[in-house]
């Protein structure tokens, strides 16, 4: 088992607070991804779990045992660094075997573990090479293999793919996902700034955000499955951070609120949102959001002027100037012959709209059927 619990965790560097009130549970065998904007404390939180930094307050437990005072070597974890951290004068085999020899394991057991790990990561033919003779992707696989052979309870990854080119990132991401399935009960914590990595790898995403009014201090914005954060963001920050392109936002005023619907006016445009109107009344200013793929182009009573088009092959992003907001609304459509300067119709379906209270909290959405099905299988 490899359950991890963080309770009321805080970290200060000197008198400067960095992380505040982090409460988190990572189940045994779970793949948990830390993501957030630069400088929000993702790597610091990982280093606290690893024992490379000491918490200023709170507790860190692995399998029910408090490990705050334990050295990294005694926490039964293995860490894969962004920089690979391989010994340049050693072969691949020697790099992978080094930690096992330090533990004084029998030579036969060391060899068995290295051979099994190298076969799993397709490194067998590279065992006699030194790091300088390897590609970036091969070096990263060696770093992962060095962690695997130790058979730890917890794997920690600190932006392991950021030094690889796009095609290698995809291949190595698939390898890490396969490794997680094969290792079963071993928990993994993975730090990244890449949303694609987070959405495709994670069982659970922990999104960190800077605290308002406390510059340089971060805490957890939302924890959930990738699809929960995408379809049910807890607040305006989560909605704007998850998704690329970002969710479209514009301001509106509540015209009428009911249990299952809120009517708003965005400028002179009336809209309906299939959300709970609890704690909302007429005249309250709110923020409306909608994902680009939910903007219906070619139908509806609203019109927009095409100011930019991005043709991505299987789909197209269309940027529309509208009276709804100052910035263009982005719509994702099937490949279409849309030109800059055209005026086209579009619609914002009520069931696709998100609504955010003046303090940034999200109103509860009444999801339509496809989203409910995706969340049920997440």
């Amino acid at each position: 088992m490899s359950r991890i619990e963080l309770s009321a965790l805080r970290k200060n560097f000197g008198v400067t607070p960095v992380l505040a009130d982090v409460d988190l549970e990572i189940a045994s065998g779970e793949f948990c991804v830390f993501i957030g904007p630069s400088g929000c404390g993702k790597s610091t939180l990982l280093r606290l779990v690893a024992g490379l930094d000491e918490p200023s307050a709170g507790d860190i437990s692995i399998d029910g045992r408090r490990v705050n005072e334990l050295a990294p070597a005694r926490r039964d974890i293995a860490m894969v660094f962004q920089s690979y951290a391989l010994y340049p004068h050693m072969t691949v085999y020697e790099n992978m075997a080094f930690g096992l020899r330090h533990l004084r394991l029998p030579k036969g057991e060391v060899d068995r573990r290295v051979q099994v790990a190298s076969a799993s990561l397709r490194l067998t033919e590279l065992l006699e090479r030194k790091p300088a003779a390897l590609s970036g992707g091969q070096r990263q696989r060696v770093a992962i293999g060095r962690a695997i052979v130790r058979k730890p309870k917890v794997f920690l990854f600190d932006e392991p793919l950021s030094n690889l080119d796009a095609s290698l990132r995809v291949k190595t991401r698939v390898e890490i996902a396969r490794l997680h399935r094969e290792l079963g009960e071993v928990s993994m914590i993975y730090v990244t700034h890449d949303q694609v990595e987070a959405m495709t790898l994670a069982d659970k995403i922990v999104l960190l955000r800077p605290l308002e009014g406390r510059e340089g201090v971060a805490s957890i914005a939302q924890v959930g499955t990738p699809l929960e954060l995408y379809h049910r963001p807890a607040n305006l920050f989560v909605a704007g951070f998850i998704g690329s392109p970002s969710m479209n936002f514009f301001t509106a005023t509540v015209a009428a609120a009911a249990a299952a619907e809120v009517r708003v006016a965005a400028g002179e445009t009336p809209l309906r949102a299939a959300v709970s109107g609890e704690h909302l009344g007429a005249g309250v200013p709110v923020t409306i959001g909608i994902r680009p793929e939910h903007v219906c182009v070619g139908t509806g009573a609203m019109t927009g002027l095409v100011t930019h088009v991005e043709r991505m092959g299987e789909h197209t992003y269309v940027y529309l100037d509208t009276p709804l907001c100052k910035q263009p609304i982005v719509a994702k459509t099937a490949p279409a012959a849309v030109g800059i300067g055209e005026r086209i119709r579009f619609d914002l379906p009520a069931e696709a709209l998100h609504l955010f209270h003046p303090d940034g909290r999200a109103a509860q959405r009444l999801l339509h059927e496809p989203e409910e099905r995706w969340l049920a299988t997440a």
Side-chain angles (χ1 to χ4, degrees):
M1 301 293 287
S2 52
R3 182 167 52 91
I4 302 164
E5 293 177 275
L6 310 179
S7 178
L9 201 63
R10 296 187 179 188
K11 177 60 181 175
N12 300 339
F13 287 117
V15 297
T16 305
V18 177
L19 286 171
D21 302 321
V22 174
D23 292 292
L24 178 66
E25 181 174 331
I26 301 170
S28 180
E30 197 164 42
F31 199 123
C32 180
V33 174
F34 296 166
I35 192 170
S38 297
C40 71
K42 303 183 294 295
S43 293
T44 298
L45 187 54
L46 190 76
R47 289 173 63 86
L48 290 173
V49 176
L52 300 176
D53 287 334
E54 294 183 5
S56 302
D59 292 320
I60 303 168
S61 299
I62 299 177
D63 284 348
R65 181 178 67 156
R66 187 174 181 271
V67 299
N68 287 40
E69 285 78 34
L70 287 184
R74 297 181 58 198
R75 297 192 183 194
D76 202 5
I77 60 175
M79 190 161 180
V80 179
F81 295 91
Q82 176 182 353
S83 61
Y84 317 136
L86 301 178
Y87 296 109
H89 62 287
M90 294 183 182
T91 64
V92 169
Y93 185 100
E94 291 166 340
N95 266 282
M96 293 174 68
F98 181 79
L100 302 180
R101 289 170 176 164
H102 186 70
L103 295 174
R104 301 185 183 281
L105 292 182
K107 183 178 180 180
E109 176 64 11
V110 171
D111 185 68
R112 187 189 69 80
R113 292 195 189 186
V114 171
Q115 295 296 342
V116 169
S118 61
S120 175
L121 293 167
R122 298 194 299 279
L123 293 170
T124 303
E125 297 180 356
L126 307 176
L127 289 177
E128 297 307 314
R129 294 191 190 180
K130 292 184 178 179
L134 303 177
S135 68
Q138 290 168 339
R139 292 180 195 177
Q140 192 57 273
R141 297 210 310 272
V142 175
I144 294 170
R146 184 177 55 187
I148 291 174
V149 296
R150 293 181 52 197
K151 297 185 177 179
K153 288 183 178 179
V154 180
F155 279 98
L156 306 178
F157 295 89
D158 190 6
E159 302 206 34
L161 309 185
S162 60
N163 289 334
L164 306 181
D165 63 35
S167 63
L168 274 178
R169 281 202 302 271
V170 173
K171 292 177 182 177
T172 311
R173 188 174 77 224
V174 171
E175 290 295 328
I176 292 174
R178 180 183 60 81
L179 175 65
H180 175 242
R181 291 193 301 270
E182 292 178 354
L183 293 178
E185 291 300 307
V186 177
S187 298
M188 293 186 175
I189 303 178
Y190 188 105
V191 167
T192 183
H193 63 276
D194 188 313
Q195 288 194 35
V196 174
E197 290 177 27
M199 296 292 287
T200 56
L201 287 173
D203 298 318
K204 174 186 289 181
I205 288 179
V206 177
L207 175 55
L208 296 167
R209 67 170 295 179
L211 290 179
E212 288 187 20
R214 299 179 65 183
E215 186 175 353
V217 188
S219 190
I220 293 176
Q222 188 174 351
V223 177
T225 67
L227 292 182
E228 283 171 349
L229 268 68
Y230 191 82
H231 292 301
R232 287 191 182 273
N235 51 59
L236 199 57
F237 173 82
V238 177
F241 188 86
I242 297 295
S244 181
S246 177
M247 183 181 287
N248 297 293
F249 295 112
F250 50 92
T251 58
T253 303
V254 175
E261 181 183 85
V262 174
R263 294 179 180 271
V264 300
E268 298 181 359
T269 305
L271 294 169
R272 294 186 307 110
V275 302
S276 169
E278 187 178 8
H279 305 307
L280 287 171
V284 174
V286 294
T287 300
I288 297 295
I290 187 168
R291 299 279 181 200
E293 66 269 26
H294 294 151
V295 178
C296 296
V297 172
T299 184
M302 290 174 277
T303 63
L305 181 68
V306 178
T307 60
H308 183 62
V309 178
E310 293 178 343
R311 305 186 192 281
M312 309 298 290
E314 64 178 354
H315 59 263
T316 297
Y317 290 115
V318 179
Y319 291 68
L320 301 172
D321 261 356
T322 77
L324 289 173
C325 50
K326 295 179 180 179
Q327 70 275 11
I329 286 180
V330 183
K332 180 180 179 181
T333 74
V338 179
I340 295 174
E342 290 185 37
R343 183 166 290 277
I344 61 176
R345 293 186 175 276
F346 70 95
D347 189 26
L348 306 178
E351 66 273 12
L353 292 181
H354 299 252
L355 184 147
F356 301 92
H357 292 255
D359 63 2
R361 290 178 300 114
Q364 182 180 356
R365 292 181 67 215
L366 307 177
L367 296 178
H368 56 296
E369 190 272 333
E371 290 174 329
E372 292 283 13
R373 185 175 69 249
W374 295 335
L375 284 170
T377 57

